[in-house]
């Protein structure tokens, strides 16, 4: 998609000129003949495409509803409505889009609109050989008065998200732990990043036995991946580590999932896909931090060699884990990855994981969980999420009585806390494997990971939720 610096000529029936309007707004002169429809078209969610004379271009009205007060709410609204404008326009064969806002664009709104344009243009259709809808894709986009530099930044942020979506949407017969390592290798080669990959023997030799045990039931062996990005120049604002859960397919292991529960488990690698998408975008965004991207890639499969309920495993930091549920495997892999990452002594660790069904129960399908004891880091992440238009709810880990749910007489900790408080007890489990002197935040994205229908800037399938939040965090200065 090209972002244009000059308006298009509007000489083709595949062109559309769009106007975003609030309910109480006056219609632009181009739409004056349709003033009787303002009360309907200005409502939030209304998008009206108007064909002009045969062979000419189209007009479009994108309703914004009532005016919003907060700037972050406005940029979120612009991002989502731009995505819907592109998505619906391409289904009727439109390719060349322009857009006018009800007020002059700022850098923030220009960036958000560019993100919306890229995300609204996204569809995962590579395996379809028939019915290749939509009728078109957006080839060019012009924002009247837009900040092109900010729009290019928005392009890189949204492309990181679509990159992650592409990987997360790939099925388990295509993306395996070995392929995840190959993708990291390609990113490192293209951008000149440092890369460490540990194979199954090296994983065992280094004492990453929690990661090893989860992956050993599959004929495809696990891999540990560690990418490092260094900013240009000698100065850096600090060292940040991102850790992603990477279960390329989760059958549940010996505690096998139900027929319905096993669906979409190709997306249990989304945390790591987000890490790869973010690392791939950092050079173009000129991120000022040294960033480490890590994940332990496994398949969780039932097999004669699979790990079992009642097994006791010693993790990388020496703590022991009693296994009560082999389908609570993500936290077991993350135990080793967080302990391993702690040895890097970063200024902060943020992990992303499709971790708990409890997140869906607690939050529904449109808000992710943030679990952290660190107020400053939590506030910085929440501010980044607000700018990115992604909803998070913070959970505290201050209930010592709840902590007893992951106690066991046989090991240091048990890998499931049972019913009640599942998001928090999962966070408490992970906390056992993080250096207590390092600020750490856990992002549970299970509730927002996959959508069965399109809405706002989310398409059908994997959402790559938290990608934009983490990039906003990495592009800001944190004192």
């Amino acid at each position: 998609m090209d972002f244009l610096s000059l308006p298009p000529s509007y000489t083709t029936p595949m062109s559309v000129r769009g106007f975003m309007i609030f309910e109480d707004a006056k219609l632009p002169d181009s739409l004056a003949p349709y003033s009787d429809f303002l009360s309907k078209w200005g409502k939030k969610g209304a998008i009206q495409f108007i064909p002009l004379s045969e062979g000419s271009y189209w007009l479009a009205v994108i309703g914004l509803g009532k005016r919003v007060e907060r700037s972050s709410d406005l940029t979120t609204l612009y991002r989502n409505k731009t995505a819907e404008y592109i998505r619906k326009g391409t289904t009727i064969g439109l390719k060349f889009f322009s857009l006018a806002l009800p007020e002059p664009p700022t850098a923030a709104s220009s960036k958000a609109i560019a993100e919306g344009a890229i995300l609204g243009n996204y569809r995962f259709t590579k395996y379809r050989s028939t019915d290749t809808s939509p009728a078109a894709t957006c080839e060019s986009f012009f924002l009247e008065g837009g900040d092109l530099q900010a729009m290019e930044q928005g392009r890189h942020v949204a492309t990181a998200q679509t990159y992650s979506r592409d990987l997360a949407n790939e099925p388990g017969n295509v993306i395996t732990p070995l392929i995840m390592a190959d993708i990291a290798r390609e990113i490192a080669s293209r951008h000149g990043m440092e890369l460490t990959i540990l194979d199954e023997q090296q994983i065992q030799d280094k004492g990453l036995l929690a990661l090893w045990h989860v992956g050993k039931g599959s004929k495809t062996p696990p891999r540990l991946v560690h990418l490092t990005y260094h900013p240009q120049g000698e100065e850096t604002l600090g060292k940040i580590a991102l850790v992603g859960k990477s279960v390329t397919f989760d059958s549940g292991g010996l505690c096998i999932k139900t027929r319905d529960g096993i669906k979409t488990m190709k997306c249990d690698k989304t945390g790591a896909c987000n890490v790869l998408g973010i690392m791939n975008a950092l050079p173009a965004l000129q991120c000022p931090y040294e960033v480490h991207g890590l994940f332990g890639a496994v398949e969780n499969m039932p097999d004669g060699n699979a790990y079992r309920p009642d097994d006791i495993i010693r993790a990388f930091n020496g703590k022991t884990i009693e296994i009560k549920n082999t389908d609570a495997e993500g936290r077991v892999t993350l135990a080793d990855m967080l302990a391993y990452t702690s040895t890097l002594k970063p200024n902060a660790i943020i992990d992303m994981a499709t971790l708990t069904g409890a997140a869906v129960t607690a939050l529904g399908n449109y808000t992710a969980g943030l679990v952290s004891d660190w107020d400053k880091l939590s506030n910085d992440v929440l501010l980044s999420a607000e700018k990115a238009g992604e909803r998070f709810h913070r959970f505290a880990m201050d209930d010592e009585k709840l902590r007893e749910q992951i106690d066991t007489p046989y090991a240091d900790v048990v890998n499931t806390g049972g019913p009640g408080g599942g998001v928090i007890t999962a966070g408490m489990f992970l906390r056992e494997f993080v250096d207590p002197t390092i600020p750490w935040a856990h992002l549970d994205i299970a509730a927002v990971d996959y959508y069965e229908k399109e809405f706002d800037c989310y398409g059908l399938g994997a959402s790559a939720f938290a990608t934009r939040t983490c990039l906003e965090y990495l592009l800001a200065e944190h004192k």
Side-chain angles (χ1 to χ4, degrees), residues 269-409:
K269 61 185 182 293
T270 299
C273 297
N274 287 356
V275 169
L276 289 170
I278 290 166
M279 298 300 291
N280 192 47
L282 295 181
L285 289 167
Q286 298 181 337
C287 174
Y289 293 90
E290 177 184 319
V291 182
H292 295 257
L294 302 99
F295 58 86
V298 300
E299 279 186 325
N300 185 24
M301 301 292 281
D303 178 79
N305 198 40
Y307 81 132
R308 298 161 290 254
D310 296 336
D311 281 359
I312 295 178
I313 302 166
R314 188 172 300 278
F316 180 74
N317 69 346
K319 291 188 177 181
T320 54
I321 305 167
E322 182 184 8
I323 304 301
K324 284 301 182 187
N325 181 0
T326 64
D327 194 24
E329 84 300 327
R331 68 197 69 185
V332 179
T333 67
L334 286 173
D336 267 351
M337 293 310 303
L338 290 170
Y340 180 88
T341 301
S342 293
T343 65
L344 304 175
K345 300 299 180 183
N347 299 108
I349 299 173
I350 300 173
D351 79 74
M352 292 171 277
T354 47
L355 205 67
T356 69
V360 184
T361 303
L363 299 171
N365 291 110
Y366 309 102
T367 302
L370 164 62
V371 187
S372 180
D373 290 326
W374 296 84
D375 291 341
K376 175 66 168 61
L377 176 59
S378 296
N379 290 338
D380 287 343
V381 171
L382 290 173
L383 179 60
S384 299
E386 184 179 310
K387 291 178 180 178
E390 295 182 321
R391 290 174 55 90
F392 282 86
H393 177 83
R394 183 185 177 187
F395 293 89
M397 293 185 287
D398 57 356
D399 188 340
E400 288 305 314
K401 196 67 179 173
L402 189 62
R403 168 62 180 77
E404 293 176 5
Q405 291 181 197
I406 56 170
D407 283 340
T408 170

Side-chain angles (χ1 to χ4, degrees), residues 40 88 98 100 285 361 371 474:
K40 179 179 179 181
K88 292 182 179 180
S98 73
L285 289 167
T361 303
V371 187
L474 291 171

Side-chain angles (χ1 to χ4, degrees), residues 106-307:
T106 63
S109 60
S110 296
K111 175 174 173 287
I113 284 167
E115 291 170 6
I118 297 291
L119 295 172
N121 206 36
Y122 175 81
R123 294 161 184 88
F124 187 77
T125 57
K126 65 180 287 187
Y127 295 110
R128 293 189 65 87
S129 56
T130 58
D131 185 25
T132 55
S133 58
T137 59
C138 177
E139 296 182 10
S140 68
F141 184 86
F142 173 69
L143 175 62
E144 295 186 19
D147 182 328
L148 274 179
Q149 184 175 356
M151 292 180 72
E152 284 302 320
Q153 187 181 54
R155 178 203 299 278
H156 295 309
V157 170
T159 300
Q161 190 168 4
T162 59
Y163 185 97
S164 175
R165 287 180 182 179
D166 274 341
L167 296 180
N169 278 320
E170 289 282 4
N173 64 320
V174 174
I175 298 285
T176 67
L178 302 182
I179 299 300
M180 288 291 282
D182 287 343
I183 293 166
R185 190 176 286 111
E186 189 274 328
I187 291 173
S189 176
R190 179 152 35 88
H191 296 300
M193 294 180 183
E194 296 175 14
L195 174 66
T196 299
I197 297 176
L198 302 185
D199 64 23
E200 63 270 32
Q201 189 58 54
Q202 292 168 316
I203 287 170
Q204 295 174 78
D205 291 345
K206 286 189 176 291
L208 294 147
L209 299 181
L211 176 65
W212 162 245
H213 270 77
V214 174
K216 70 189 182 77
S218 170
K219 69 176 183 179
T220 305
R223 288 291 182 267
L224 183 148
V225 174
H226 177 189
L227 275 164
T228 306
Y229 160 84
H230 293 282
Q232 292 183 343
E234 296 182 2
E235 293 189 5
T236 174
L237 294 183
K239 182 194 296 187
I240 308 297
L242 302 178
V243 179
K245 175 183 171 183
S246 184
V247 180
T248 60
F249 187 79
D250 180 18
S251 69
L254 292 178
C255 301
I256 198 162
K257 292 180 181 289
T258 65
R259 178 179 61 187
D260 290 332
I262 206 167
K263 294 176 182 176
T264 73
M265 283 300 106
K266 64 181 182 179
C267 290
D268 216 17
K269 61 185 182 293
T270 299
C273 297
N274 287 356
V275 169
L276 289 170
I278 290 166
M279 298 300 291
N280 192 47
L282 295 181
L285 289 167
Q286 298 181 337
C287 174
Y289 293 90
E290 177 184 319
V291 182
H292 295 257
L294 302 99
F295 58 86
V298 300
E299 279 186 325
N300 185 24
M301 301 292 281
D303 178 79
N305 198 40
Y307 81 132

